[in-house]
Amino acid sequence: MLTTPEKILFILAVAASLYYGGAAFYRVYQAIRRGKPENRFDNLPARLGRALWQTLTMQTVFKKRPWVSLLHAFVFYGFVYYLLVNLLDVVEGLFPVVLRGGFWNGINLVGDILTALILVGIIGLIIRRRTRPGQRTFSWNPKTPLHEKVRSGIPRDSAIVATFITFHVGSRLLHRAAQSADISADPYQPIAGAVGSLLANLDLRAITAIEHVFWWGAIGSILVFLPYFARSKHIHLFLAPLNLAFKKEKPGALLPMDFEKAEEAGLGVAKLEDFSWPRLLDAYSCIQCNRCQDVCPAYATGKALSPAAILINERYELNDILPTFAKGEASPRPLMEFATNEESIWACTTCNACIEVCPVGNEQMLHIVDIRRERVMMQGEFPTQLNNAFRGIERNGNPWNLGQDKRMGWAEGLPFEVQTLEQNPEADVLYWVGCAPSYDPRAQKTARAFAEILSESGTSWAVLGRQEKCTGDAARRAGNEYLFAQMAEENVATLNAAMEAKPKTIVTTCPHCFHTLVNEYKDFGGTYQVKHHSEYIAELIDRKKLQPLPMSGDVTYHDPCYLGRHNGVIEEPREVIQATGLKLTEPERNGKNSFCCGAGGAQFWKEEEPGKERVSTNRYRELKGTGASTIAVGCPFCMAMMNVETAQEPEGKAPQVLDISELVVQGIRKGKEGTGQAAD
């Protein structure tokens, strides 16, 4: 189809595009390589297979915004297929062949349909962006720190990309339409044929000119766009699958630090080059959809934090300094000058909602924790209230800073003996009580209820007693990795010694302890079978070891972030509640989509950052709105936060807040009363 001069021009254009585009992509690769090492290459075939499946099915995209995701799917699947379509268009342009009939009919039909779907998808997305309030320039909290180029850069980049897609696909449609008018109508290209019928009255020379012009429009636009592609947010088309492949096995679980290299490398992250390479890959994979911002409890309650803004800010800074950064030069500005600020980083509850919702596998929360580590361990700059928790963990093994001699106070007055492992080394279950149930008066009732369940079920169990210390969860999430490592090493040594007599199942009523014990202590030599008490109670009920008498009433359940979202324990608490006979009424946000109570990420130990309301207030309003008379929880910190809210209500107007173990004990005691047995 192309003339000889056109062919020469095409070859030169391809060479130039590949040179400049390749150089741009190579600089991005070099920039990502600047990140510190982190092993994400284990089990590589499975990783790549999972990422390919998630990408092609778009299951991560369809987690939220189904209609917008459908429009995105039209564009995505169309462009995946266009890799073949554009290649065939080039073949037809360079060589005197017409790919019609037989095998090519199916290829052309699919291409024709997808051309129309891409145009529908991109036009729909453009309309949404231009008409939906706040979407034209994105909706940011005025307090959210933004890179100086973000507000103008995002609309400009979106306009460039949308123009390219529309022009490229529209040009191909017109090119095919001209072919249809020139050669003959093709029933396997009905959309191009319909457009081509509008050109039927033109003479052959005009139709040929249109065919050539729009072939160049379709293929030439790719060659022009390719060098810009590496700077565009749409580089995620290539990097998002890699990001999904290299995502952590347990998103949100933190990795230990090498303190021996602290003198030369520092601790935590102050500049872009201090991040590990997966964090830099996050910045380039971000599609700037703001889904993470939408689900962030801090942002939803008017705080300065936007997890999306942090990654977007990093991306714009990288684009600004890419030529020098890729060559190994230091970044000119610390992250606190362009990516975030103190108010933002200390508003994070580490609830993992941003990671859970991200369609491209970004781990925004880990950026925040890395920065906290540097602020705490290198700069000594953190909310002063955390000092009390840090001091208590270091001196007395608990953030309440109460003596270890009081750790068994929760068990006083129980009608049965609570044995330690020293008394019962052959126990089947080790109940890891945790600091809150040991020292907090309200949480002590949960510990007593679960102990009653263990006793009632005939389980052989024991506790560590004074040997138990804080897991260090709050210290780690607050950035005090050194203190966490100290607690981890001490606890792992204690637990490993406890397992020598007999391997035991560790059961805990605290999701934060659960998460740390099962996911993070293995990096310190401690690999254990750990269960949340909801899982264990569900097993006891299933084995008929417990038979709570059915009760009446309505209950709603609040999923703790570190139980449901972080660790996928969602059904077991509901099974336990339903076994009590209570009617379960779900809040709108539940399961992995649950909304945080506001206590995580060491927030419980400090004043909440300023906003329009407390995170707990937002969540409590939703739970109360179910109309249930009881709010069931599975975490002592969730319990505390909900009780802060109920205390603000007029007497008798607030639902009661109970741990699921307390609901079960109520059923057990009701059964005992029915049979005339004594009850505590």
Side-chain angles (χ1 to χ4, degrees):
M1 182 196 83
L2 296 182
T3 63
T4 299
E6 284 180 306
K7 291 179 181 179
I8 295 172
L9 178 61
F10 175 73
I11 292 171
L12 293 175
V14 168
S17 181
L18 291 178
Y19 174 78
Y20 290 106
F25 275 93
Y26 184 64
R27 281 196 297 269
V28 171
Y29 165 72
Q30 288 179 306
I32 294 172
R33 280 193 62 186
R34 287 288 310 277
K36 293 180 179 179
E38 184 175 328
N39 183 19
R40 297 285 186 98
F41 299 97
D42 58 301
N43 205 12
L44 197 55
R47 283 180 172 274
L48 295 175
R50 178 192 65 197
L52 181 63
W53 174 252
Q54 289 178 333
T55 301
L56 293 179
T57 60
M58 296 192 70
Q59 58 183 259
T60 56
V61 176
F62 276 94
K63 284 182 178 179
K64 294 281 186 179
R65 305 177 185 172
W67 290 109
V68 176
S69 297
L70 181 63
L71 295 176
H72 185 274
F74 290 164
V75 177
F76 170 75
Y77 289 124
F79 266 85
V80 169
Y81 194 76
Y82 257 43
L83 296 174
L84 172 64
V85 166
N86 291 145
L87 176 62
L88 297 180
D89 288 346
V90 169
V91 170
E92 284 192 336
L94 294 177
F95 303 101
V97 295
V98 177
L99 304 178
R100 305 286 187 277
F103 168 78
W104 301 110
N105 286 338
I107 299 292
N108 290 328
L109 177 61
V110 175
D112 192 62
I113 293 172
L114 286 175
T115 293
L117 290 179
I118 293 173
L119 290 173
V120 169
I122 193 62
I123 291 171
L125 291 172
I126 291 172
I127 292 173
R128 177 179 181 271
R129 172 59 57 84
R130 305 296 291 187
T131 59
R132 186 182 176 193
Q135 286 298 308
R136 186 169 180 176
T137 58
F138 278 69
S139 178
W140 305 104
N141 185 325
K143 298 193 298 181
T144 300
L146 291 176
H147 190 281
E148 54 269 18
K149 294 187 177 180
V150 165
R151 290 192 185 277
S152 60
I154 289 179
R156 180 173 60 248
D157 184 43
S158 297
I160 291 172
V161 172
T163 300
F164 159 69
I165 294 173
T166 306
F167 182 79
H168 169 65
V169 178
S171 292
R172 185 182 185 274
L173 175 60
L174 291 172
H175 163 66
R176 285 291 182 169
Q179 276 190 336
S180 178
D182 182 14
I183 304 172
S184 62
D186 184 352
Y188 292 96
Q189 298 186 85
I191 297 167
V195 177
S197 66
L198 302 176
L199 307 176
N201 294 329
L202 299 177
D203 59 40
L204 183 59
R205 182 178 299 177
I207 291 175
T208 301
I210 292 173
E211 185 179 354
H212 280 246
V213 166
F214 287 106
W215 184 93
W216 276 104
I219 304 303
S221 60
I222 296 176
L223 302 180
V224 171
F225 184 73
L226 190 59
Y228 175 77
F229 197 75
R231 295 186 62 85
S232 161
K233 69 176 183 177
H234 283 70
I235 194 176
H236 75 263
L237 186 64
F238 295 107
L239 296 188
L242 293 177
N243 210 34
L244 289 169
F246 295 127
K247 192 173 182 178
K248 289 171 66 70
E249 178 184 354
K250 178 64 70 170
L254 304 181
L255 295 176
M257 300 180 69
D258 189 346
F259 295 107
E260 293 181 359
K261 295 182 179 179
E263 289 188 8
E264 60 178 88
L267 295 172
V269 170
K271 288 190 168 187
L272 286 166
E273 57 266 34
D274 297 333
F275 279 123
S276 63
W277 66 265
R279 300 287 74 73
L280 297 178
L281 181 59
D282 282 346
Y284 276 106
S285 299
C286 178
I287 62 176
Q288 300 169 11
C289 64
N290 274 15
R291 294 187 185 204
C292 57
Q293 177 178 284
D294 290 347
V295 299
C296 175
Y299 192 86
T301 54
K303 315 297 192 294
L305 172 63
S306 163
I310 292 175
L311 266 61
I312 292 170
N313 292 339
E314 291 170 3
R315 171 72 164 279
Y316 272 83
E317 183 75 0
L318 282 167
N319 279 347
D320 268 1
I321 65 174
L322 189 57
T324 57
F325 187 78
K327 292 178 181 178
E329 294 185 21
S331 58
R333 298 193 290 179
L335 291 161
M336 298 297 284
E337 284 190 14
F338 66 87
T340 187
N341 60 16
E342 296 282 352
E343 186 176 337
S344 294
I345 64 167
W346 293 112
C348 178
T349 66
T350 67
C351 69
N352 221 42
C354 54
I355 296 177
E356 173 65 28
V357 79
C358 183
V360 296
N362 285 335
E363 297 167 320
Q364 302 90 330
M365 184 190 79
L366 302 187
H367 291 241
I368 296 170
V369 174
D370 279 341
I371 296 171
R372 283 183 176 183
R373 285 170 165 175
E374 195 273 340
R375 305 310 292 169
V376 172
M377 293 187 290
M378 298 299 293
Q379 304 300 327
E381 296 180 2
F382 53 88
T384 55
Q385 302 96 334
L386 290 176
N387 261 323
N388 294 328
F390 291 162
R391 190 180 301 113
I393 294 172
E394 184 176 7
R395 293 179 179 177
N396 283 309
N398 69 86
W400 272 266
N401 203 15
L402 297 174
Q404 283 294 92
D405 59 319
K406 294 181 170 56
R407 194 167 268 276
M408 289 294 291
W410 64 272
E412 293 177 2
L414 285 172
F416 49 83
E417 181 184 9
V418 176
Q419 296 182 322
T420 65
L421 279 183
E422 293 177 349
Q423 298 168 300
N424 185 12
E426 298 295 324
D428 297 321
V429 168
L430 171 61
Y431 174 26
W432 182 277
V433 182
C435 297
S438 295
Y439 296 106
D440 178 72
R442 178 61 187 88
Q444 285 179 340
K445 296 180 180 180
T446 297
R448 294 169 64 85
F450 184 59
E452 187 172 337
I453 288 171
L454 290 172
S455 177
E456 184 69 24
S457 65
T459 301
S460 174
W461 64 285
V463 297
L464 286 174
R466 296 184 182 184
Q467 293 185 65
E468 182 184 296
K469 293 185 177 181
C470 179
T471 61
D473 162 80
R476 184 170 230 192
R477 268 71 201 170
N480 196 339
E481 183 69 15
Y482 185 82
L483 179 55
F484 168 78
Q486 176 186 332
M487 302 312 298
E489 289 169 359
E490 292 181 16
N491 284 324
V492 166
T494 300
L495 288 170
N496 286 348
M499 298 296 170
E500 288 180 359
K502 179 181 179 180
K504 298 166 181 60
T505 298
I506 300 174
V507 183
T508 179
T509 53
C510 177
H512 296 265
C513 295
F514 171 77
H515 176 82
T516 305
L517 291 167
V518 75
N519 296 313
E520 299 184 347
Y521 273 12
K522 60 186 178 183
D523 295 321
F524 295 83
T527 302
Y528 314 110
Q529 182 182 24
V530 187
K531 295 181 180 180
H532 184 253
H533 72 308
S534 64
E535 296 177 285
Y536 195 72
I537 295 172
E539 290 179 8
L540 292 175
I541 292 174
D542 187 58
R543 300 202 312 261
K544 309 299 183 185
K545 296 288 186 178
L546 287 176
Q547 293 182 313
L549 195 68
M551 300 179 290
S552 60
D554 292 341
V555 62
T556 189
Y557 175 64
H558 164 72
D559 288 274
C561 299
Y562 273 80
L563 187 64
R565 187 157 42 247
H566 275 275
N567 288 287
V569 180
I570 295 171
E571 296 305 321
E572 291 86 345
R574 290 166 170 79
E575 292 172 5
V576 171
I577 292 170
Q578 290 167 348
T580 65
L582 296 169
K583 180 183 177 182
L584 179 62
T585 304
E586 295 280 12
E588 181 178 351
R589 296 174 293 188
N590 61 75
K592 289 195 172 184
N593 295 317
S594 180
F595 194 76
C596 185
C597 75
Q603 294 294 324
F604 187 81
W605 304 104
K606 57 179 280 295
E607 290 295 327
E608 191 165 320
E609 300 304 310
K612 63 183 181 183
E613 65 179 349
R614 291 172 56 85
V615 174
S616 57
T617 302
N618 184 295
R619 182 53 168 169
Y620 173 70
R621 184 168 59 246
E622 180 180 13
L623 294 170
K624 184 183 178 184
T626 64
S629 59
T630 300
I631 297 174
V633 298
C635 172
F637 296 101
C638 296
M639 167 83 72
M641 300 306 284
M642 291 302 102
N643 279 330
V644 167
E645 298 301 325
T646 59
Q648 312 302 317
E649 298 271 37
E651 187 175 351
K653 298 295 184 180
Q656 62 177 338
V657 184
L658 296 174
D659 187 84
I660 55 173
S661 61
E662 294 178 293
L663 294 175
V664 173
V665 165
Q666 285 183 358
I668 292 172
R669 291 177 177 177
K670 185 177 181 181
K672 285 184 175 182
E673 291 170 1
T675 58
Q677 297 181 42
D680 178 33

